Amino acid sequence: NFATLPFGIDLNLGCPQECAKREGFGAFLVEKDIDATISCMASMRKSIDMYCSRHNSRITYKPTLSAKIRILDGGVDDTIAFSNKLKSVG
């Protein structure tokens, strides 16, 4: 149903909870595998774009894609570099 498209999708890359640690998502995915995290964001952007282009005549807006993150263990410079990578794909 096109009327129920979200205005945005937020990828939670900052979750520090034990379940995230155990399952390897949230902040722990970022710390473990930045490339996989970037790939996930790129795939989400591609899926949104493909869906919207396929249904272009019925969609009046394209949902935004964002990510919540924490400062990386490597510090502010690493966090800014990571943020820039996320921005470049999504």
Side-chain angles (χ1 to χ4, degrees):
N1 182 346
F2 302 105
T4 60
L5 271 178
F7 288 105
I9 298 169
D10 184 48
L11 184 60
N12 184 351
L13 299 174
C15 185
Q17 296 184 3
E18 186 60 36
C19 62
K21 183 177 183 179
R22 187 174 50 252
E23 300 295 327
F25 61 86
F28 302 97
L29 174 63
V30 176
E31 293 293 341
K32 179 182 173 187
D33 194 342
I34 284 184
D35 291 336
T37 307
I38 298 298
S39 179
C40 182
M41 189 73 152
S43 293
M44 291 176 73
R45 169 49 55 205
K46 183 178 179 182
S47 295
I48 292 168
D49 291 347
M50 286 175 55
Y51 182 87
C52 290
S53 66
R54 209 175 294 143
H55 302 285
N56 191 34
S57 64
R58 293 176 271 181
I59 294 177
T60 58
Y61 63 91
K62 181 166 67 171
T64 61
L65 178 60
S66 60
K68 178 177 80 171
I69 65 171
R70 294 183 177 272
I71 294 179
L72 301 180
D73 288 344
V76 174
D77 290 339
D78 285 354
T79 304
I80 292 170
F82 174 61
S83 297
N84 287 332
K85 287 181 182 180
L86 287 175
K87 184 179 176 183
S88 74
V89 298

